[in-house]
């Protein structure tokens, strides 16, 4: 599956990148407020796991074996976050 990927500075992920901010940076939602609504509705997933905590942070531990973090919004929108 060739998913679109968004490059992100490794320095932004190392200290922990807020999950809401990550979805905005990936272009999946227009604002953190919309991301927050989607979390409440169960519409956002990180690495195929539903996001339940809007205060969660993504870190290097969330990287897959391919070195990316998969963000999903609904069933059809997916973006890979690729730290550089």
């Amino acid at each position: 599956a060739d998913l679109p990927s968004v490059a992100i500075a490794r320095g932004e992920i190392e200290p922990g990148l807020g999950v809401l901010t990550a979805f905005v940076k990936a272009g999946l939602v227009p604002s953190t407020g919309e991301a927050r609504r989607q979390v409440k509705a169960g519409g956002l997933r990180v690495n195929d796991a539903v996001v339940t905590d809007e205060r969660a942070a993504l870190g290097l531990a969330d990287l897959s074996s391919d070195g990316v973090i998969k963000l999903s919004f609904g069933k059809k929108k997916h973006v890979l976050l690729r730290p550089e």
Side-chain angles (χ1 to χ4, degrees):
D2 276 341
L3 299 174
S5 70
V6 173
I8 186 163
R10 190 170 272 275
E12 281 191 77
I13 279 198
E14 277 171 357
L17 176 65
V19 70
L20 302 179
T21 304
F23 276 91
V24 174
K25 280 185 180 290
L28 289 170
V29 291
S31 65
T32 54
E34 177 59 23
R36 192 171 284 119
R37 280 189 288 281
Q38 292 301 330
V39 167
K40 287 184 170 66
L44 301 183
R45 292 190 309 283
V46 173
N47 294 334
D48 298 322
V50 175
V51 177
T52 54
D53 180 4
E54 66 186 41
R55 292 181 303 282
L58 302 178
L60 295 178
D62 295 299
L63 293 174
S64 70
S65 56
D66 297 329
V68 296
I69 299 174
K70 180 182 174 189
L71 301 181
S72 305
F73 171 37
K75 292 200 181 345
K76 299 215 166 74
K77 290 183 170 176
H78 309 285
V79 170
L80 300 176
L81 269 192
R82 194 176 299 281
E84 299 191 332

